Amino acid sequence: MKDVKGSLAVITGGASGIGYGLASAFGKAGARPMLLDIEAKALDAAVAKLVATGIDAAGAVVDVTDRQAMRQVAGEIEAAHGPIHMLCNNAGVGTADPLQIARGDDWDWVLSVNLMGVINGLLAFLPAMTRHGEPGHIVNTASVAGLFPMRDIGIYNTSKFAVIGLTETLRDDLAGTTIGVSALCPGYVNTNINQSRRNRQAAFGASRPPQISADAMRAIDRALKTRGLAPEAVGEMVLDGMRRDLFYIVTDPTFWLPVRRRFERMAHDIAALHGGLPASE
Ligand SMILES: NC(=O)c1ccc[n+]([C@@H]2O[C@H](COP(=O)([O-])OP(=O)(O)OC[C@H]3O[C@@H](n4cnc5c(N)ncnc54)[C@H](O)[C@@H]3O)[C@@H](O)[C@H]2O)c1
């Protein structure tokens, strides 16, 4: 989408962090952000803050893991606000547990929100977005943790690698339609992601503190605070990337290095097994 003025942008996880940054950037550019979130109080505060700056924002409480509720809210939004142009499947949660001690309910929770939440967003909103024939764009929030592995956050890595795979195929499937697709891969962003447990639904069992060392946890906290971008800066980058129809919106270029190492390792192992690599396609 080149011009977002007047368009309707649905943003899951819009009450905090990156979702709020997207709403703010889109709103400043003239779009109408519709924030969806599981956290009612934070959602009200976020919408009020946007409206106070003159942005035409609104919100609805919904859990992205609830497919039926997502479908219902999609219908309600379309009926009340008209055609939906942008969809940011952004709601997400994190855990930090080495895989050898990860529990089943942690897997269920993180995959339900981070992966099934994105899938439920597509099931609920994509049909209406393609039906009206106007330009549109889908941004799925993955992570640089969806591009290379990171020790101790294997559940999160798994969910984000899956979002990358889904989004790459989605872009191919929607090629030639009016809907563009991008994968947002943030590096560190200064948000509330480390307090994700606040939103763990009872259905996924009692949460427990991250099972990594206090030092490792402090290092992550520090990185988020000191290296972390402001969510609004990420919102501006997404707007820029969307206007230029970029697919991978990677917020920190230094993460290209571990991505390259992953592919170099792959090339090395293929060459080792087969005595070389194919010269060209
Ligand atoms: N902060 C970072 O450094 C970073 C890096 C890479 C990727 N990300 C990704 O960015 C996205 C946004 O996270 P953030 O960092 O802004 O964290 P955040 O905790 O500040 O915001 C996440 C939002 O999602 C909402 N949410 C959680 N579970 C939900 C559910 N089941 N249904 C609806 N809403 C729900 C929360 O209430 C919150 O408003 C996530 O997908 C996260 O994995 C964050």
Side-chain angles (χ1 to χ4, degrees), residues 184-254:
L184 171 58
C185 302
Y188 293 111
V189 186
N190 194 351
T191 70
N192 296 316
I193 188 85
N194 265 9
Q195 285 88 49
S196 289
R197 288 188 296 145
R198 72 193 187 280
N199 290 314
R200 185 170 171 139
Q201 305 91 321
F204 295 107
S207 74
R208 57 177 180 165
Q211 300 296 297
I212 56 172
S213 73
D215 276 355
M217 201 58 216
R218 268 195 295 275
I220 298 177
D221 272 331
R222 213 174 21 250
L224 287 170
K225 294 275 173 294
T226 60
R227 283 185 65 182
L229 290 176
E232 286 78 6
V234 175
E236 294 296 340
M237 262 185 226
V238 171
L239 195 57
D240 184 29
M242 207 169 65
R243 283 177 173 144
R244 295 199 271 154
D245 198 24
L246 301 183
F247 178 67
Y248 299 101
I249 303 178
V250 180
T251 63
D252 179 343
T254 61

Side-chain angles (χ1 to χ4, degrees), residues 16 18 37 63-64 90 156 160 187 189 191-192 198-199 224:
S16 169
I18 294 172
D37 208 283
D63 178 348
V64 295
N90 166 80
Y156 185 76
K160 296 301 186 178
V189 186
T191 70
N192 296 316
R198 72 193 187 280
N199 290 314
L224 287 170

